[in-house]
Amino acid sequence: KAGVTQTPRYLIKTRGQQVTLSCSPISGHRSVSWYQQTPGQGLQFLFEYFSETQRNKGNFPGRFSGRQFSNSRSEMNVSTLELGDSALYLCASSLDSDRAQYFGPGTRLTVL
Amino acid sequence: GQNIDQPTEMTATEGAIVQINCTYQTSGFNGLFWYQQHAGEAPTFLSYNVLDGLEEKGRFSSFLSRSKGYSYLLLKELQMKDSASYLCAVSSGRRALTFGSGTRLQVQP
């Protein structure tokens, strides 16, 4: 089975811009979770989608949003980028959120 | 709220055994996961405990005590490639995963 894929792998944006990141889960996995990882804060949960519905949400501002399509692929969007949004964004897929999550390689976002 | 504590750093010698502890406070516990993350890479799944006791998988074992809010990851016959961060994560409540800050393990020759 192919693993979780994320595109793009690297991204450079400037403050105020917006960005869309994409995640394709492992075939058959319906749960997709997004995380932000920074050296200072570790892995922070953004949100989880299951069957096209947002089921859980972390403590991030409304500038962070996401969606999931009928084929379980997911996108996350960050609007009005800030310098502090520079991070590694990881997507993880699983059969359900209380089962093992398998991570993609991540998208490294740099905001200048 | 939820709180997960792990030591920040540990050092061990190649061939030895190391135990990485994780304590947690949470409501509605569903299960506990351990992940390994090498520098610059994504986390990879190591183990999952939902019931009390020891789960063994090759050189790695994970233990859970739900009444004590305690888990540990045991790594035997340490190899240099085991140098990585080890993340404890708890599934609770509405099943979202909360990760600890991770324990950076350095294996020395």
Side-chain angles (χ1 to χ4, degrees), chain A residues 48-90:
Chain A
E48 184 230 351
Y49 286 87
F50 185 88
S51 294
E52 301 179 67
T53 301
Q54 186 182 86
R55 194 160 62 171
N56 288 299
K57 190 177 189 304
N59 296 323
F60 278 80
R63 300 186 296 106
F64 292 81
S65 62
R67 59 178 175 168
Q68 187 180 34
F69 302 95
S70 58
N71 61 359
S72 293
R73 190 177 70 84
S74 178
E75 289 181 346
M76 69 162 279
N77 185 278
V78 188
S79 62
T80 320
L81 284 166
E82 300 176 359
L83 294 179
D85 297 333
S86 293
L88 179 67
Y89 289 88
L90 291 161

Side-chain angles (χ1 to χ4, degrees), chain B residues 17-42:
Chain B
I17 299 172
V18 70
Q19 178 175 310
I20 302 174
N21 296 325
C22 170
T23 58
Y24 63 90
Q25 291 110 37
T26 187
S27 56
F29 177 85
N30 295 318
L32 186 143
F33 298 82
W34 283 96
Y35 285 83
Q36 180 192 60
Q37 186 175 25
H38 285 100
E41 298 181 13

Side-chain angles (χ1 to χ4, degrees), chain B residues 33-107:
Chain B
F33 298 82
W34 283 96
Y35 285 83
Q36 180 192 60
Q37 186 175 25
H38 285 100
E41 298 181 13
T44 55
F45 169 75
L46 288 177
S47 69
Y48 174 51
N49 293 72
V50 62
L51 299 175
D52 290 351
L54 189 68
E55 294 279 344
E56 297 187 77
K57 193 187 290 186
R59 294 189 300 115
F60 292 8
S61 303
S62 57
F63 171 83
L64 175 67
S65 168
R66 289 172 297 171
S67 62
K68 296 182 179 177
Y70 168 68
S71 173
Y72 67 72
L73 180 69
L74 195 70
L75 290 75
K76 305 175 189 175
E77 301 168 17
L78 279 173
Q79 302 175 8
M80 298 299 291
K81 68 178 182 179
D82 297 330
S83 292
S85 287
Y86 291 86
L87 306 170
C88 169
V90 173
S91 170
S92 62
R94 295 177 62 196
R95 303 203 234 175
L97 265 193
T98 302
F99 281 82
S101 299
T103 299
R104 190 162 57 202
L105 173 66
Q106 186 174 357
V107 180

Side-chain angles (χ1 to χ4, degrees), chain A residues 30-31 48 50 55 94-101, chain B residues 95:
Chain A
R30 296 164 67 189
S31 171
E48 184 230 351
F50 185 88
R55 194 160 62 171
S94 61
L95 289 170
D96 204 340
S97 56
D98 61 349
R99 306 286 291 276
Q101 295 191 359
Chain B
R95 303 203 234 175

